[in-house]
Amino acid sequence: MKHLLAKIEARQQLVRETAGQLREQVALLAEQLAAAERTLECLDITRATMLELAAEDGIEPPNPLPPGYREVLAAFEQAGHGLRAKEVCEMLGIDTEPRHAESVRAKLKRLVGRDILAEAEPGLFTLSRPTPSSTAEPG
């Protein structure tokens, strides 16, 4: 019986230590979350101020890109070179079946139409400079 009680006490100690480590991680994550929320609030205020100032000067704000397009652009920025539709699918974790690749290709063509991407050769897309993530407002 003493042997079982010793095993239980050892396990209790291990679980107490694990719980303590998890509490420390939760506290750290809570601090990081609070910092991120403060930064987001500052960015929201900055964005609103910029839009107000632009409106006062009669400057039209850029059209924000829908989320699916921002992910596509992020893939190009991460790759740092030209990509084909299937490669973009792979980078985004999308199936490379023809229907998915064609959907991505259609987005790439729309981005070419907005002068955000360029089609260096048929089917090979590259970023136009400057990148829209630095010029277009997030949506």
Side-chain angles (χ1 to χ4, degrees):
M1 183 75 153
K2 288 182 181 183
H3 175 68
L4 288 176
L5 289 174
K7 285 179 79 171
I8 290 173
E9 288 176 13
R11 184 166 294 170
Q12 284 177 316
Q13 183 59 35
L14 178 64
V15 172
R16 279 188 196 101
E17 290 171 6
T18 301
Q21 292 170 352
L22 291 172
R23 279 188 207 94
E24 289 174 11
Q25 290 176 358
V26 166
L28 179 62
L29 288 173
E31 289 174 19
Q32 291 174 346
L33 176 60
E37 288 174 339
R38 285 190 303 270
T39 300
L40 185 56
E41 184 178 345
C42 289
L43 290 170
D44 287 341
I45 292 168
T46 301
R47 181 177 185 271
T49 303
M50 286 182 63
L51 291 174
E52 286 175 15
L53 293 173
E56 288 174 8
D57 292 341
I59 299 171
E60 292 278 328
N63 291 330
L65 294 172
Y69 290 84
R70 291 192 296 258
E71 282 86 12
V72 167
L73 291 178
F76 277 89
E77 290 172 353
Q78 179 183 354
H81 56 77
L83 297 170
R84 298 190 180 280
K86 276 190 171 184
E87 294 171 315
V88 174
C89 288
E90 291 168 354
M91 290 184 75
L92 298 177
I94 300 172
D95 192 358
T96 58
E97 288 180 16
R99 64 188 176 115
H100 297 290
E102 288 304 317
S103 174
V104 168
R105 184 174 286 106
K107 286 180 181 173
L108 298 175
K109 292 282 190 177
R110 286 186 206 107
L111 291 170
V112 168
R114 291 179 75 169
D115 293 324
I116 295 171
L117 292 181
E119 193 168 4
E121 61 183 57
L124 180 65
F125 299 88
T126 60
L127 281 173
S128 297
R129 299 291 177 215
T131 61
S133 61
S134 62
T135 59
E137 67 180 295

